[in-house]
């Protein structure tokens, strides 16, 4: 087997093998040739060639997201490394083990005027769990072994991105049959830490609270054991709020946070009725801006966060952070928790049911628009699909529509950027055995169009592109739409379509411009095919925002349960 002649390159490759980092995404270059030769010639590794480094990093992110294991990206020196940063920061905030391995010039060749050189040492440090700066100096084996073990073990133990910078001196392309061994130190995955005093306080405050809110952020599917899902649902004093990306389902949970909070905007008494005594949060970052605003204004007395890695004080009232996974935490505390008599859950579930009736009535009468399209799309996705959603409008519409429990829903909510969503989705499709559909707006799609420059796209991969000819979310957000600069600098209207991209990359293309066409296209869109498919849907740019804003106005005027809830709260307080 051909191996790179450079000993340091062999150490990096052997370290990845020892840590079972099997998937290697490589972007072409000269300085990283020793790594490319070593990885590509070793049958242990699954190697992928992606030219665009930004797409390559998000593609690797998608694979790692599905496998929940470290995936490496390998690049040449210079600006190539900087193109990894968007995906790297997403991995940091989403707790994904992305391993960046960057080739570099020797330190003596930096800042002397050579091409493709930048100061690569610690360049990703602000969002890196560890930075291993290796040395090509003689007698550096011991320190290089330490750095490689430390970096890769950190990625495994903490589920965070790391950066390994590897300097190489020319010649770069020579090979050898000689094998250099790596000294491996096994990783030790993090153990949950449940502080006994904090746990005792939590139990006391939980048992004393008649209004407990459980807010669930981004979660991998099947993260919470079924017994705890049922336990939370059966406590009348517990209201569980989830999002599409929570991948957590129960008929007595509320998955429509924004709709619920819109309803409360008509009367401050309703907000006060919703204010929890105690807030329990777990999972990753939350999409809903409304819930953040609500909990920052109507703070709970106690806020407990459960997360093995990070404890965010998102609502400025954090009481304690339990460094544990949610199942370990609940296994520890539930034997000491009791159900508390309360109307808290029941009254808001009644509101949920009313909201859903109004939602269905409104959608049935809605003209062809973004809201109508998303509703049609979600009602036609088959069971057991992986659904990848881009940021901006797409993920927000998804929060308003019912998700099927068999779906596995993902979105890059770590940094919430529109960049790299399609590359991530393609990586996820490669990393999973399940069929995948990517739902995106037009700006996210065109921004990441190089994602399609990828020969690994599975035949069952599907893209649904909702093209409203610009940044439609800016028409929904506050701002002066009559300002002459609004369209040009914010909405950025365009007349681009995906048709020629699909022809160039060998993807089946369909176009819908009205409801009838959409329904016809969706009827066969998910059927087996010999190549990936893309369905582009054109929606009316200047109608979409009016349809959605009117929807929220309808929810604000909903009055059926308003008096009942206020009355229930007053009666409960009196008793």
């Amino acid at each position: 087997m051909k191996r790179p002649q450079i000993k340091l390159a062999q150490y990096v490759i052997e370290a990845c093998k020892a840590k079972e980092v099997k998937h290697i995404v490589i972007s072409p270059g000269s300085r990283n040739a020793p790594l490319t030769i070593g990885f590509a010639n070793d049958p242990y590794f699954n190697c992928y060639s992606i030219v665009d480094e930004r797409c390559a990093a998000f593609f690797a992110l998608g694979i790692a997201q599905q496998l929940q294991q470290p995936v490496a990206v390998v690049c040449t020196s210079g600006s190539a490394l900087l193109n990894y940063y968007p995906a790297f920061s997403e991995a940091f905030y989403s707790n994904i083990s992305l391993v960046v391995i960057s080739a570099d010039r020797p330190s003596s060749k930096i800042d002397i005027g050579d091409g493709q050189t930048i100061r690569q040492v610690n360049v990703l440090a602000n969002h890196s769990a560890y930075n291993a700066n290796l040395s090509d100096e003689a007698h550096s084996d011991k320190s290089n072994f330490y750095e490689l073990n430390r970096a890769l073990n950190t990625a495994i133990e903490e589920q965070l991105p790391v950066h390994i910078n590897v300097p190489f001196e020319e010649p770069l392309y020579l090979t050898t049959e000689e094998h250099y061994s790596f000294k491996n130190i096994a990783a030790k995955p993090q153990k949950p830490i449940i502080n006994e005093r904090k746990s005792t306080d939590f139990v006391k405050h939980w048992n004393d609270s008649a209004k407990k809110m459980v807010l669930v952020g981004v979660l991998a599917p099947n993260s919470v054991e079924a017994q705890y899902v049922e336990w939370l649902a059966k406590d009348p004093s517990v209201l569980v709020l989830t999002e599409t990306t929570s991948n957590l389902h129960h008929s007595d949970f509320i998955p429509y946070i924004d709709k619920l909070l819109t309803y409360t905007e008509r009367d401050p008494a309703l907000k006060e009725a919703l204010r929890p005594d105690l807030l329990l949060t777990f999972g990753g970052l939350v999409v809903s801006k409304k819930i953040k605003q609500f909990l920052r204004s109507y703070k709970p007395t106690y806020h407990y966060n459960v997360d093995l890695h990070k404890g965010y004080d998102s609502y400025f009232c954090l009481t304690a952070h339990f460094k544990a996974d949610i199942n370990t935490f609940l296994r520890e505390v539930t034997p000491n928790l009791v159900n508390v008599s309360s109307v808290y859950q029941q009254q808001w579930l009644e509101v949920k049911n009313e909201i859903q009736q109004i939602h269905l009535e409104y959608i049935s009468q809605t003209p062809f628009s973004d809201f109508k399209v998303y509703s049609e799309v979600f009602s036609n996705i088959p069971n057991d699909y992986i659904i990848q959603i881009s940021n901006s409008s797409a993920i927000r519409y998804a929060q308003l529509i019912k998700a099927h429990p068999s779906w596995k829903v993902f979105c890059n909510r770590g940094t919430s950027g529109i960049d790299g969503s399609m590359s991530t989705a393609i990586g996820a499709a490669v990393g999973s055995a399940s069929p995948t559909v990517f739902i995106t707006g037009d700006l996210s799609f065109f921004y990441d169009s190089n994602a399609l420059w990828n020969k690994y796209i599975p035949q069952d991969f599907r893209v649904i592109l909702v093209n409203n000819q610009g940044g439609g979310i800016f028409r929904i957000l506050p701002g002066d739409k009559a300002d002459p600069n609004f369209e040009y600098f914010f909405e950025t209207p365009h007349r681009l379509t995906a048709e020629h991209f699909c022809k160039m990359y060998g993807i089946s293309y369909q176009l819908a411009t009205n409801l009838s066409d959409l329904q016809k296209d969706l009827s066969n869109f998910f059927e087996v095919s010999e190549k990936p498919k893309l369905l582009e849907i054109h929606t009316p740019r200047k109608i979409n925002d009016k349809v959605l804003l009117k929807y929220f106005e309808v929810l604000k005027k909903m009055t059926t349960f308003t008096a009942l809830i206020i009355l229930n709260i007053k009666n409960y307080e009196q008793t």
Side-chain angles (χ1 to χ4, degrees), residues 334-346:
T334 49
N336 299 311
L337 302 180
V338 298
N339 283 7
V340 178
S341 176
S342 175
V343 296
Y344 188 54
Q345 182 190 96
Q346 177 189 355

Side-chain angles (χ1 to χ4, degrees), residues 365-534:
Q365 302 170 12
T366 299
F368 188 70
S369 60
D370 280 357
F371 200 6
K372 187 77 167 183
V373 163
Y374 280 104
S375 180
E376 286 291 325
V377 165
F378 273 82
S379 65
N380 280 275
I381 298 173
N383 293 350
D384 302 312
Y385 253 71
I386 288 176
I387 302 177
Q388 294 276 340
I389 306 176
S390 72
N391 276 301
S392 200
S393 295
I395 190 61
R396 286 171 171 80
Y397 275 111
Q399 305 305 315
L400 305 176
I401 301 166
K402 187 176 182 179
H404 194 275
S406 72
W407 296 339
K408 299 174 182 178
V409 183
F410 298 89
C411 178
N412 286 347
R413 291 306 297 175
T415 60
S416 305
I418 67 168
D419 49 347
S421 294
M422 185 155 54
S423 296
T424 303
I426 295 171
V430 170
S432 171
S434 301
T436 300
V437 58
F438 174 53
I439 303 173
T440 180
D442 48 298
L443 293 192
S444 293
F445 175 86
F446 293 118
Y447 195 99
D448 194 30
S449 57
N450 263 5
L452 298 177
W453 187 9
N454 182 317
K455 63 181 180 181
Y456 310 103
I457 304 176
Q459 292 179 345
D460 59 5
F461 185 69
R462 300 290 183 265
V463 179
I464 294 178
L465 166 57
V466 182
N467 188 345
N468 54 27
Q469 298 89 47
I473 192 170
F474 290 104
R475 287 194 166 272
I476 300 167
L477 297 174
D480 183 5
K481 311 304 184 293
D483 187 304
N485 291 317
F486 169 78
E487 284 194 2
Y488 190 79
F489 288 105
F490 287 93
E491 192 179 17
T492 58
H494 62 83
R495 294 184 179 180
L496 302 176
T497 77
E499 182 177 5
H500 294 290
F501 281 110
C502 290
K503 287 181 180 178
M504 182 164 59
Y505 293 118
I507 295 170
S508 176
Y509 176 78
Q510 297 169 249
L511 173 65
T513 58
N514 56 61
L515 183 59
S516 177
D517 287 349
L518 175 59
Q519 291 172 336
K520 180 180 177 181
D521 286 337
L522 286 172
S523 68
N524 59 21
F525 184 66
F526 295 98
E527 292 179 0
V528 175
S529 62
E530 294 182 355
K531 56 184 180 180
K533 294 182 182 181
L534 183 147

Side-chain angles (χ1 to χ4, degrees), residues 230-417:
E230 289 298 326
W231 176 81
L232 287 168
K234 288 180 179 179
D235 190 326
S237 65
V238 175
L239 184 68
V240 179
L241 304 184
T242 66
E243 297 195 301
T244 306
T245 48
S246 300
N247 290 297
L248 189 63
H249 304 275
H250 194 283
S251 58
D252 290 336
F253 293 172
I254 296 182
Y256 314 118
I257 296 175
D258 281 6
K259 293 195 278 191
L260 181 72
L261 289 170
T262 298
Y263 162 75
T264 67
E265 290 173 6
R266 64 180 308 277
D267 193 327
L270 290 172
K271 291 186 177 182
E272 194 59 49
L274 184 60
R275 182 209 295 260
D277 302 322
L278 183 147
L279 173 68
L280 174 64
T281 57
F282 60 89
L285 301 181
V286 171
V287 176
S288 173
K289 187 175 181 179
K290 285 182 180 290
I291 193 64
K292 295 172 189 174
Q293 293 172 332
F294 171 75
L295 289 171
R296 289 167 185 172
S297 299
Y298 292 81
K299 289 183 173 63
T301 306
Y302 308 102
H303 172 205
Y304 294 94
N305 175 255
V306 181
D307 191 281
L308 188 57
H309 305 286
K310 301 182 180 82
Y312 289 122
D313 186 12
S314 300
Y315 314 107
F316 313 132
C317 57
L318 186 64
T319 306
H321 166 222
F322 292 99
K323 199 169 185 180
D325 64 275
I326 188 61
N327 292 311
T328 299
F329 174 74
L330 292 176
R331 194 174 301 119
E332 174 79 16
V333 300
T334 49
N336 299 311
L337 302 180
V338 298
N339 283 7
V340 178
S341 176
S342 175
V343 296
Y344 188 54
Q345 182 190 96
Q346 177 189 355
Q347 63 190 13
W348 292 109
L349 289 179
E350 290 175 348
V351 172
K352 168 197 164 184
N353 294 334
E354 176 80 358
I355 287 174
Q356 188 58 13
Q357 290 176 13
I358 291 174
H359 172 90
L360 294 174
E361 291 172 6
Y362 186 86
I363 285 293
S364 68
Q365 302 170 12
T366 299
F368 188 70
S369 60
D370 280 357
F371 200 6
K372 187 77 167 183
V373 163
Y374 280 104
S375 180
E376 286 291 325
V377 165
F378 273 82
S379 65
N380 280 275
I381 298 173
N383 293 350
D384 302 312
Y385 253 71
I386 288 176
I387 302 177
Q388 294 276 340
I389 306 176
S390 72
N391 276 301
S392 200
S393 295
I395 190 61
R396 286 171 171 80
Y397 275 111
Q399 305 305 315
L400 305 176
I401 301 166
K402 187 176 182 179
H404 194 275
S406 72
W407 296 339
K408 299 174 182 178
V409 183
F410 298 89
C411 178
N412 286 347
R413 291 306 297 175
T415 60
S416 305

Side-chain angles (χ1 to χ4, degrees), residues 88 92 124-125 127-131 150 154-155 158 160-163:
F88 196 80
F92 179 79
L124 305 178
H127 297 91
S128 178
Y130 192 76
N131 303 283
R150 180 77 183 273
T154 298
E158 299 186 23
L160 287 170
V162 297
H163 177 204

